[in-house]
Amino acid sequence: MSIIKLLSKKLERTIFTTPTHNQKAIFSQNYDCFYKDDFSEIEGYDNLSNPKTHILMAQGKASDIMNTKNTYFVTQGATVAILAAMKALINPADKVLVARNCHKSIFSGLVITAGCVDWFMPETDKSWGIYTKINPKKLESTLQLNKYKAFIMTSPTYEGVNSNIKKIAEICKKYDTYLIVDEAHGSLYNFSDILPQTAINQGADVSINSLHKTAGALNQTALLNINKNIRNTDSNIFQKALNLFHTTSPSYPLLANIEACLTYLNSKKGYDEIQNLLLEIDKFKNELKRYGVEFFEDEFHDPTKLFLKKDGLSGFDLSEFMYKDFKIEDELNNSIGCMYLCGIGTTKQKLEKLKVALKKIQTNPSFEPIYTEFQPFPLVKIQPVDTFNRDYIFINKQDSLLKISNKMIIPYPPGIGLLYPGEAIQKWHLDYLDKDVEVII
Ligand SMILES: Cc1ncc(COP(=O)(O)O)c(C=O)c1O
């Protein structure tokens, strides 16, 4: 089917995925603007690569709102904001410590910057099958052993787990290591006193937000935030890095959408919408807990990520039945549970629909959960920068043990790498590999 035909069909399902805006314009934007306001950088409209007037003002306002030294608008997703942050702070051969539950864009950043990676394993929760927090003590022991230019981590995780950034930022500062926090999933934090604090307000040097995930903005809108107290950086280095990756034809409708989104979130209306959403989520959870639904919760958990399991069903089964029987689609599922994502645009009616379905869903009393093993510590044989254009051959999976992979294994979502090019294939990986495996020679 053509894309045009596909989009002309009504979406006959309820989606709890990104973006959360419910396919409705929440702030002053609609589809017409894509044609009406679709300019290149014509006279009088400023220029994203060297902003001097309107864009500079809008970004300045954003930086006041976000409490940053600079907040840059990005129209190519958190991915480009991450690449720019890495390019600005990491030089070839710099050692970089990266939490293994990072998004795949960080591997791209390692290829582009030629930084040398050491992986850092976050804590895990086996009963939910997810990565959780960064352990500050373990981080400090790692930073004592080696000098790292930067530590890159994700907080919140896809499932809403937040690390103690304040503590982590203190440790990174002590060892003169930049802290880059991928806060793609935490774009609402600056606008609520119930949600966790932003990474920037807790001391991260740089943070990245995807406004399109939960903040009601359009796909590809993102922010790159720089801390007021960042050490030893050229004040123009982030703009310079962004200019390496940003299109020279940024979309004005997307730039306006970013501005409108931040203005809305920073208003009483935006604040109230988040408060009401959190209230509705609280009621939703309290009611469903009486129907055999268990929610993932911990200290600093972001409640807008409804990661839940139902007694008597695996996450895979729950996801399938919810889709088949109720036409409700989750953002993510694993062998234990499903994650239903909420944010700006998630209505009470939508939550009600989810609640009714979760109450009704049939379960199997003899079901036993299967707890999957987490990936082993990665064995990096070739640094990311040297893996990009290598000669490779295909070999039989049975013969691939300890050979060096030329491919990534990245289930999406969440886009966390199980194996990257340059890493040795371990026994654990075999289940995820095709019959013929691409290895570097
Ligand atoms: C943690 C995390 N970081 C970054 C990204 C990339 O975001 P974007 O799609 O805005 O480029 C994603 C996307 O799923 C993500 O989950």
Side-chain angles (χ1 to χ4, degrees):
M1 188 186 298
S2 73
I3 300 171
I4 300 165
K5 210 161 172 190
L6 186 68
L7 293 185
S8 69
K9 283 177 27 173
K10 191 170 178 303
L11 190 70
E12 301 282 3
R13 69 186 103 141
T14 308
I15 54 174
F16 281 85
T17 63
T18 69
T20 59
H21 52 53
N22 239 350
Q23 290 62 55
K24 289 196 184 78
I26 292 164
F27 5 92
S28 58
Q29 295 282 300
N30 60 39
Y31 282 110
D32 289 349
C33 71
F34 275 98
Y35 271 94
K36 186 176 85 49
D37 303 332
D38 194 31
F39 313 111
S40 279
E41 284 137 327
I42 52 173
E43 197 52 42
Y45 280 76
D46 209 4
N47 187 320
L48 186 63
S49 66
N50 184 19
K52 292 209 161 96
T53 55
H54 310 286
I55 296 175
L56 185 71
M57 250 170 60
Q59 291 189 149
K61 225 162 77 188
S63 124
D64 289 344
I65 292 173
M66 302 299 289
N67 189 30
T68 60
K69 177 178 182 186
N70 293 103
T71 286
Y72 297 95
F73 291 2
V74 180
T75 61
Q76 286 150 261
T79 297
V80 156
I82 286 169
L83 297 182
M86 290 177 72
K87 189 68 193 164
L89 298 180
I90 299 163
N91 290 321
D94 278 348
K95 276 181 89 68
V96 189
L97 189 65
V98 182
R100 184 62 175 191
N101 62 336
C102 71
H103 182 254
K104 70 190 188 76
S105 52
I106 283 145
F107 183 83
S108 311
L110 291 166
V111 173
I112 287 166
T113 59
C116 288
V117 69
D118 274 348
W119 293 102
F120 184 90
M121 298 314 256
E123 303 294 287
T124 56
D125 183 333
K126 205 166 173 182
S127 65
W128 285 91
I130 57 169
Y131 287 107
T132 56
K133 295 175 196 297
I134 298 301
N135 180 328
K137 274 204 189 118
K138 194 171 140 194
L139 176 67
E140 176 145 25
S141 321
T142 312
L143 296 187
Q144 274 165 354
L145 292 178
N146 276 301
K147 170 85 189 98
Y148 291 100
K149 186 71 178 290
F151 175 51
I152 308 177
M153 59 173 286
T154 303
S155 184
T157 64
Y158 230 103
E159 296 82 10
V161 180
N162 281 272
S163 291
N164 185 342
I165 302 289
K166 188 165 180 289
K167 184 99 201 115
I168 291 167
E170 280 165 14
I171 294 168
C172 285
K173 205 169 192 174
K174 182 169 161 194
Y175 294 89
D176 197 21
T177 299
Y178 288 118
L179 174 61
I180 302 176
V181 179
D182 177 352
E183 200 182 40
H185 294 273
S187 302
L188 299 182
Y189 293 1
N190 197 46
F191 306 97
S192 158
D193 27 34
I194 298 176
L195 291 171
Q197 274 193 34
T198 64
I200 286 287
N201 283 341
Q202 293 185 74
D205 292 295
V206 175
S207 78
I208 291 102
N209 297 129
S210 260
L211 294 179
H212 65 89
K213 291 195 193 302
T214 54
L218 287 163
N219 264 331
Q220 300 189 18
T221 54
L223 299 177
L224 173 60
N225 304 300
I226 317 300
N227 195 307
K228 284 177 181 163
N229 301 319
I230 192 164
R231 312 171 297 283
N232 308 327
T233 50
D234 175 341
S235 61
N236 203 31
I237 198 72
F238 290 96
Q239 182 69 64
K240 207 165 148 185
L242 278 165
N243 292 354
L244 288 178
F245 304 108
H246 235 158
T247 169
T248 47
S249 316
S251 157
Y252 278 86
L254 289 186
L255 291 174
N257 192 251
I258 294 175
E259 188 182 39
C261 174
L262 290 178
T263 307
Y264 176 77
L265 293 178
N266 202 40
S267 69
K268 165 103 176 56
K269 208 166 161 201
Y271 178 85
D272 288 347
E273 178 167 351
I274 298 174
Q275 294 295 100
N276 286 337
L277 174 68
L278 295 174
L279 207 74
E280 288 306 325
I281 286 176
D282 211 37
K283 286 196 260 176
F284 170 93
K285 284 165 79 171
N286 285 337
E287 190 170 338
L288 280 172
K289 281 176 187 169
R290 289 187 263 118
Y291 288 82
V293 179
E294 194 184 329
F295 293 87
F296 177 85
E297 282 167 336
D298 75 347
E299 196 193 10
F300 308 129
H301 182 249
D302 175 345
T304 63
K305 280 101 175 129
L306 295 170
F307 187 40
L308 56 89
K309 57 185 169 186
K310 173 119 184 175
D311 289 347
L313 282 178
S314 74
F316 299 133
D317 288 343
L318 178 62
S319 176
E320 190 186 326
F321 298 157
M322 288 288 278
Y323 189 72
K324 216 166 58 169
D325 299 345
F326 299 98
K327 288 277 169 284
I328 294 179
E329 187 166 339
D330 56 70
E331 167 72 23
L332 165 112
N333 52 74
N334 67 11
S335 67
I336 307 297
C338 293
M339 204 270 278
Y340 296 92
L341 186 70
C342 303
I344 298 293
T346 307
T347 56
K348 195 171 164 180
Q349 292 72 14
K350 202 170 159 183
L351 279 172
E352 187 61 31
K353 212 167 176 176
L354 180 61
K355 189 167 73 185
V356 169
L358 283 167
K359 280 184 189 172
K360 277 192 187 162
I361 202 119
Q362 296 290 319
T363 58
N364 168 12
S366 59
F367 166 80
E368 289 292 332
I370 297 169
Y371 299 105
T372 45
E373 286 298 320
F374 288 89
Q375 60 170 295
F377 196 89
L379 301 174
V380 177
K381 299 290 178 189
I382 302 175
Q383 280 295 329
V385 63
D386 296 321
T387 61
F388 190 64
N389 197 6
R390 298 291 292 236
D391 290 333
Y392 62 90
I393 51 167
F394 284 98
I395 59 171
N396 193 296
K397 178 157 84 168
Q398 305 319 321
D399 304 322
S400 68
L401 218 57
L402 294 181
K403 298 282 189 303
I404 302 172
S405 177
N406 191 42
K407 279 193 89 162
M408 307 184 174
I409 308 176
I410 306 215
Y412 211 98
I416 293 173
L418 305 182
L419 181 70
Y420 283 111
E423 294 177 358
I425 294 165
Q426 304 182 56
K427 191 159 174 278
W428 183 90
H429 296 118
L430 296 181
D431 286 346
Y432 295 88
L433 293 170
D434 292 337
K435 200 162 80 31
D436 294 316
V437 182
E438 216 174 288
V439 296
I440 292 177
I441 47 174

